[in-house]
Amino acid sequence: MKKLVFFMMVFFLVFSTSVSVFASTPVNGRATVIISSKYDTSKLTTQQIQELEKANWKVTEDELYFSAPMTGELLINGEVVQLNSDGTFYVEGSPESIKIQHDGKNLEVKKNKEGFYVFNYVVD
């Protein structure tokens, strides 16, 4: 019984410490990949639309699209920035705009009203 109580105490101590470390990691941006396809969705049956929506695809009159957090790394302001698993990232100093180099393109991203950088990479 003492071993179980000791194990539980150690587990909660480690868990609470790791949660606070993750919770305190600052983020001020998000990167998303959007897969988009022009498609006359009037040709789809109700069941097909429901199946697509169940798989997290968005269906409009003339388009199908799917969005997911970007993972890996981005080159931001000339520095490699690691993306979190949910696509969030942090830029030191929080300037009004950032320059992102991705897929051979240089893009400028300005903060939105909430002071957050939003980078959407659209793939057709």
Side-chain angles (χ1 to χ4, degrees):
M1 184 66 166
K2 286 182 181 181
K3 286 182 181 180
L4 178 61
V5 171
F6 178 74
F7 173 76
M8 295 292 286
M9 287 175 52
V10 170
F11 173 78
F12 285 119
L13 177 66
V14 170
F15 181 74
S16 64
T17 304
S18 64
V19 168
S20 66
V21 167
F22 291 123
S24 65
T25 304
V27 297
N28 59 5
R30 174 172 287 116
T32 305
V33 175
I34 300 172
I35 301 169
S36 172
S37 178
K38 294 287 181 196
Y39 189 81
D40 181 7
T41 58
S42 66
K43 296 177 182 178
L44 296 172
T45 66
T46 303
Q47 182 180 355
Q48 289 171 321
I49 292 172
Q50 288 173 346
E51 288 177 19
L52 284 166
E53 289 174 342
K54 195 177 192 180
N56 293 322
W57 283 84
K58 307 295 185 239
V59 180
T60 65
E61 283 182 21
D62 61 350
E63 185 179 35
L64 299 171
Y65 67 94
F66 179 85
S67 65
M70 187 180 274
T71 57
E73 299 173 337
L74 272 180
L75 194 57
I76 301 176
N77 294 339
E79 295 183 24
V80 175
V81 174
Q82 183 66 43
L83 300 173
N84 298 320
S85 62
D86 62 354
T88 57
F89 58 88
Y90 179 71
V91 176
E92 195 72 39
S94 196
E96 282 304 309
S97 66
I98 57 175
K99 296 204 184 315
I100 295 178
Q101 291 177 280
H102 185 71
D103 204 21
K105 297 177 184 164
N106 292 317
L107 307 161
E108 182 178 19
V109 176
K110 295 183 179 186
K111 287 181 184 178
N112 64 13
K113 293 176 191 174
E114 292 80 33
F116 213 69
Y117 308 107
V118 178
F119 174 61
N120 292 321
Y121 179 64
V122 180
V123 180
D124 293 332

